[in-house]
Amino acid sequence: MKIHEYQAKALMAERGIPVPEGTVATTVEEAVAAVRPLIERSGNPVVVVKSQIHAGGRGKGTFKEHPELGGVNVVLDGIEGGIEAAEAKVRELAEAMLGSTLVTIQTGPEGKLVSRLYIEQGIDIATELYLSVLLDRATSRNIVMASTEGGTEIEVVAHETPEKILREEIDPAFGLLDFQAASLAWGLGLDGDAHRNGVKFLKALSDAAVELDTDLVEINPLVVTTDGKVMALDGKMSFEANALYRHPDVVALRDETEEDPAESMAKEYGLSFIKLDGTIGCMVNGAGLAMATMDIIKFVGGEPANFLDVGGGADKDQISAAFKIITADPAVKGIFVNIFGGIMRCDTIAEGVVAAVTEVGLDVPLVVRLEGTNVELGKRIIDESGLNVVSAHDMKDGAVKIVELAK
Amino acid sequence: MSVLVNADTKVLVQGMGKTGRFHTDKAIAYGTQMVGAVHPSRVGQTETFTGETDHSGVEGRDDTYEVDVPIFRSVEDAVDATGATASVVYVPPPFAADAIMEAAAVGVPLIICVTEGIPVGDMVVAKRFLEGRGVRLVGPNCPGVITPKECKIGIMPGYIHTPGRIGVVSRSGTLTYEAVHQLTLNGLGQTTAIGIGGDPVNGTNFVDCLDLFNRDDATEGVIMIGEIGGTAEEEAAEWITANMKKPVAGFIAGTSAPPGKRMGHAGAIISGGKGTAAAKIEALESAGVVVAPTPTDMGSAMMEALG
């Protein structure tokens, strides 16, 4: 689960991790009202207006409605014109940004609607660094990753200058140890006050990541200020889905407008669904088989419209919901049901499919491939239903048939 | 011969709730020795399982069975009383990692965790706890382990299996069933089928299983089924190049998966350009593995690899 930058920064601030001061705004008036207290408290006439969406690359992204405008804007007007000039500029920016669509490298061409802005104090930056905490699957440990190349995407650094990436493993029994944090801070070129502050920052951040069950914390850039403070200038946090049950405060930060409505509906029914760009809807039991079903559709020349795993014990309601979700996508020109019944019996699936099709209706071809427990009974139920369903004898046969029928 | 489990394996169930009870019944019907259960709130009770024998399992049994499974307070008590040599964990996600660690602390040599949805942070701790204890964890989020006609631990349908020559190891449950089914139809059969699970942190990886199959006299070849995410398949490819004496066939799911999306399994995600199907297929092919283009071709890929 992802959250916004301002929410991530609030979670960090609660845990003693330094972040710039800021205020979230959902209206132009709120944005303008945030300016004066920020400038007065910080003594810095510069403020920054940042779009809050669940996607990276905001600084380099631009608005569909205002191609000249970036997703993050530094307001310098207060330096010479005072607070009123800063407020006027923030008003102009907020009017343009709120309700507009920001397109970044991560949003895809359709972009994301900006409905929240974060107004933040300006910071006098000496150095920009990179920091993240994430799971290293090869060692089954969380690691802290750091680099002097702040502001650059870490994938680019990893590709071009891998020697510039520092890593320390977090032993779950001990947390990040002092010497590890010190070593990272030296590696980042910090000394004096900045080194002390960096060590504190690193330890607090790694503790926060473990405590909050994040699957990624990324601070890019992490900045050292001209007076030796170490601060998270940006902050990205996402949370591990399986652990959300023990973090109700994090769940409360969910922004449903950022989530795909079909994926949210699927989640409610205990289905695992991901929307894709193709025309063949898929309904499958098991995640691996569901992926392989998409692959085989592509292999025989089609394009899958979705990933959908109904799980190991789907009932009639879930199958019906799955059909509704698949058929709600106007791009879908055919549906492939691919089931290997293990514990789940083929007759149960067949009954579910027949009931769902009868209830939801079906305007596109449907191919069903059943294998496994009670397969003959399942096939008979489909054949005798009188529905326009094509049977397949194996997975490849089914994929070929549905791609042909959907043409 | 086989790996991990055989007719002598005595199994303990951790978590005798609805799911635990259902699959314990299926395992007993198959002929697995289910010797005890741990469920603290039901200590002292006995669960009696009766039904029709699954004749696809252990041979030479009556048509019906009646088996009493005693329920204990702790793994320690259960092992003391029953001599269990393996444990299967059906405990719900918030408590599953603790159940794994309890079994490990007692020294149960084989712990198979079926539970899906365990917090990754809990598994990081559990895996650290397991270090140096000389026990093996299979899973979590896996169908289990089966040696046909000897021992079935987990949730896989027993009847699709048949004793034979091929070891199967897989990150995906239903794709394991596909492979097993094809090996049954083409007559190769299986020595042991191991589901290592779809989570990013798991107890046993491909290399562990390849090593076991490599040393098992009855296993003549191995099918390994991987998917996007992580580098376990690439590590397996390296190991195969250096050590594997037997032919290997494979399949990798997720060639059409978009990056950055978790494809059902917690571990099935392409992140930062890492963990793509293409990279895994390339690594396996360069290690001499015959990679099936689709799951329908897994059985014939194994035939081809055997030569």
Side-chain angles (χ1 to χ4, degrees):
Chain A
M1 184 194 126
K2 291 178 179 171
I3 59 173
H4 291 293
E5 173 200 2
Y6 76 93
Q7 296 168 324
K9 283 180 170 168
L11 289 174
M12 287 186 216
E14 283 167 23
R15 286 158 182 81
I17 299 164
V19 296
E21 202 182 325
T23 307
V24 67
T26 56
T27 65
V28 174
E29 294 312 319
E30 282 173 9
V32 174
V35 175
R36 179 174 292 274
L38 273 181
I39 291 179
E40 284 179 351
R41 269 203 295 276
S42 68
N44 185 333
V46 177
V47 294
V48 186
V49 182
K50 308 176 90 174
S51 306
Q52 300 293 293
I53 56 169
H54 285 186
R58 293 169 297 162
K60 290 181 184 130
T62 55
F63 286 92
K64 266 190 185 167
E65 297 82 353
H66 310 280
E68 76 293 349
L69 196 61
V72 175
N73 294 285
V74 180
V75 176
L76 301 171
D77 303 48
I79 298 173
E80 288 183 357
I83 292 177
E84 287 75 18
E87 286 176 332
K89 183 65 181 175
V90 168
R91 177 179 297 280
E92 183 193 322
L93 285 167
E95 280 171 351
M97 293 164 79
L98 281 171
S100 296
T101 311
L102 182 61
V103 180
T104 81
I105 193 163
Q106 289 185 13
T107 60
E110 67 277 13
K112 281 200 172 211
L113 183 72
V114 174
S115 51
R116 305 177 201 205
L117 298 175
Y118 194 45
I119 319 298
E120 204 171 58
Q121 69 172 103
I123 298 292
D124 296 317
I125 300 168
T127 323
E128 295 196 6
L129 307 166
Y130 172 93
L131 189 61
S132 62
V133 183
L134 73 167
L135 179 72
D136 176 44
R137 292 169 60 156
T139 57
S140 298
R141 298 274 172 93
N142 285 304
I143 54 165
V144 179
M145 238 163 62
S147 166
T148 51
E149 305 303 290
T152 310
E153 273 187 61
I154 196 67
E155 288 83 9
V156 175
V157 182
H159 185 67
E160 290 172 3
T161 48
E163 72 283 0
K164 289 191 175 166
I165 295 181
L166 313 169
R167 297 157 57 106
E168 285 289 343
E169 198 173 282
I170 304 173
D171 186 321
F174 307 113
L176 187 72
L177 295 164
D178 288 348
F179 79 88
Q180 294 179 297
S183 156
L184 283 171
W186 293 128
L188 288 172
L190 305 181
D191 54 21
D193 279 351
H195 189 270
R196 267 188 297 281
N197 290 329
V199 167
K200 249 194 273 176
F201 190 103
L202 283 158
K203 292 195 58 155
L205 189 76
S206 58
D207 288 350
V210 173
E211 178 221 323
L212 287 165
D213 287 298
T214 56
D215 57 24
L216 175 69
V217 181
E218 187 176 53
I219 297 175
N220 192 15
L222 170 77
V223 298
V224 182
T225 63
T226 46
D227 56 354
K229 291 198 185 90
V230 174
M231 254 187 196
L233 198 65
D234 195 2
K236 184 159 124 188
M237 267 191 198
S238 65
F239 299 87
E240 203 265 303
N242 292 342
L244 284 174
Y245 73 90
R246 60 188 173 206
H247 300 291
D249 50 332
V250 169
V251 174
L253 302 177
R254 169 164 266 148
D255 180 356
E256 279 167 23
T257 63
E258 288 279 346
E259 289 166 19
D260 181 89
E263 288 178 19
S264 303
M265 176 179 168
K267 212 174 287 170
E268 261 173 54
Y269 281 92
L271 306 167
S272 179
F273 173 86
I274 292 163
K275 165 99 182 70
L276 301 167
D277 298 329
T279 57
I280 310 293
C282 310
M283 188 179 106
V284 189
N285 69 325
L289 191 61
M291 256 188 285
T293 303
M294 293 164 30
D295 297 346
I296 205 168
I297 286 168
K298 202 153 181 162
F299 184 78
V300 302
E303 284 290 336
N306 65 277
F307 167 95
L308 200 162
D309 171 16
V310 296
D315 58 25
K316 194 179 132 284
D317 286 348
Q318 283 174 300
I319 292 168
S320 171
F323 261 91
K324 281 181 194 158
I325 291 166
I326 293 171
T327 52
D329 178 355
V332 169
K333 300 278 180 277
I335 300 175
F336 182 23
V337 174
N338 183 18
I339 302 292
F340 198 110
I343 298 311
M344 179 142 83
R345 291 159 26 204
C346 290
D347 52 322
T348 310
I349 284 282
E351 280 170 4
V353 169
V354 170
V357 170
T358 311
E359 187 197 334
V360 182
L362 192 66
D363 308 326
V364 294
L366 172 64
V367 172
V368 178
R369 177 265 178 151
L370 297 173
E371 191 56 76
T373 311
N374 289 3
V375 58
E376 293 311 323
L377 195 55
K379 283 183 176 165
R380 199 183 317 144
I381 290 167
I382 298 276
D383 290 344
E384 289 171 2
S385 68
L387 296 170
N388 184 19
V389 180
V390 177
S391 282
H393 61 80
D394 67 25
M395 206 167 149
K396 199 189 267 174
D397 178 51
V400 168
K401 281 179 173 156
I402 190 61
V403 169
E404 190 54 42
L405 286 168
K407 269 183 185 161
Chain B
M1 282 286 284
S2 58
V3 305
L4 294 177
V5 301
N6 59 34
D8 298 325
T9 307
K10 292 181 177 171
V11 186
L12 192 68
V13 182
Q14 290 177 263
M16 189 59 103
K18 187 171 164 241
T19 308
R21 198 179 304 122
F22 180 85
H23 294 293
T24 300
D25 185 55
K26 299 278 183 203
I28 290 171
Y30 193 80
T32 308
Q33 295 189 55
M34 304 300 294
V35 296
V38 178
H39 202 103
S41 64
R42 301 182 57 200
V43 59
Q45 298 176 13
T46 296
E47 185 96 34
T48 302
F49 293 89
T50 58
E52 280 178 29
T53 299
D54 173 359
H55 283 298
S56 73
V58 177
E59 284 170 345
R61 293 174 299 150
D62 294 341
D63 288 340
T64 60
Y65 60 87
E66 180 169 340
V67 173
D68 291 332
V69 176
I71 300 178
F72 300 91
R73 181 178 54 195
S74 65
V75 175
E76 186 173 17
D77 288 1
V79 170
D80 282 350
T82 64
T85 56
S87 165
V88 59
V89 178
Y90 292 109
V91 172
F95 319 107
D98 189 64
I100 291 168
M101 291 188 279
E102 184 188 353
V106 175
V108 177
L110 177 65
I111 305 159
I112 296 171
C113 183
V114 173
T115 308
E116 175 173 10
I118 303 176
V120 172
D122 291 6
M123 282 311 303
V124 168
V125 171
K127 200 152 178 204
R128 170 76 166 84
F129 186 84
L130 259 60
E131 279 175 19
R133 286 178 194 272
V135 300
R136 172 179 298 287
L137 168 68
V138 176
N141 189 12
C142 79
V145 181
I146 182 169
T147 294
K149 294 214 179 284
E150 295 195 36
C151 178
K152 163 179 137 68
I153 304 178
I155 61 174
M156 68 292 280
Y159 76 94
I160 60 172
H161 299 80
T162 194
R165 302 149 59 190
I166 306 300
V168 180
V169 53
S170 171
R171 281 168 69 186
S172 150
T174 34
L175 283 176
T176 315
Y177 308 162
E178 291 277 354
V180 161
H181 185 63
Q182 289 168 31
L183 293 173
T184 291
L185 292 180
N186 71 12
L188 290 175
Q190 310 89 36
T191 49
T192 300
I194 309 168
I196 58 174
D199 274 6
V201 175
N202 58 10
T204 293
N205 58 31
F206 285 117
V207 169
D208 300 321
C209 297
L210 289 166
D211 188 25
L212 289 168
F213 286 129
N214 212 19
R215 288 185 278 120
D216 175 45
D217 291 340
T219 301
E220 294 172 28
V222 179
I223 289 191
M224 59 170 281
I225 302 164
E227 61 191 27
I228 55 165
T231 54
E233 292 81 1
E234 285 87 338
E235 286 152 27
E238 263 180 52
W239 193 90
I240 288 168
T241 305
N243 304 291
M244 196 70 189
K245 300 190 201 82
K246 300 172 184 181
V248 181
F251 175 73
I252 302 292
T255 45
S256 63
K261 290 276 190 181
R262 232 168 259 286
M263 307 304 284
H265 282 153
I269 181 165
I270 300 168
S271 48
K274 290 256 175 72
T276 63
K280 291 172 188 299
I281 291 168
E282 194 192 324
L284 289 174
E285 284 182 339
S286 65
V289 174
V290 179
V291 179
T294 81
T296 306
D297 307 310
M298 290 188 287
S300 49
M302 190 70 248
M303 284 284 201
E304 188 189 329
L306 287 169

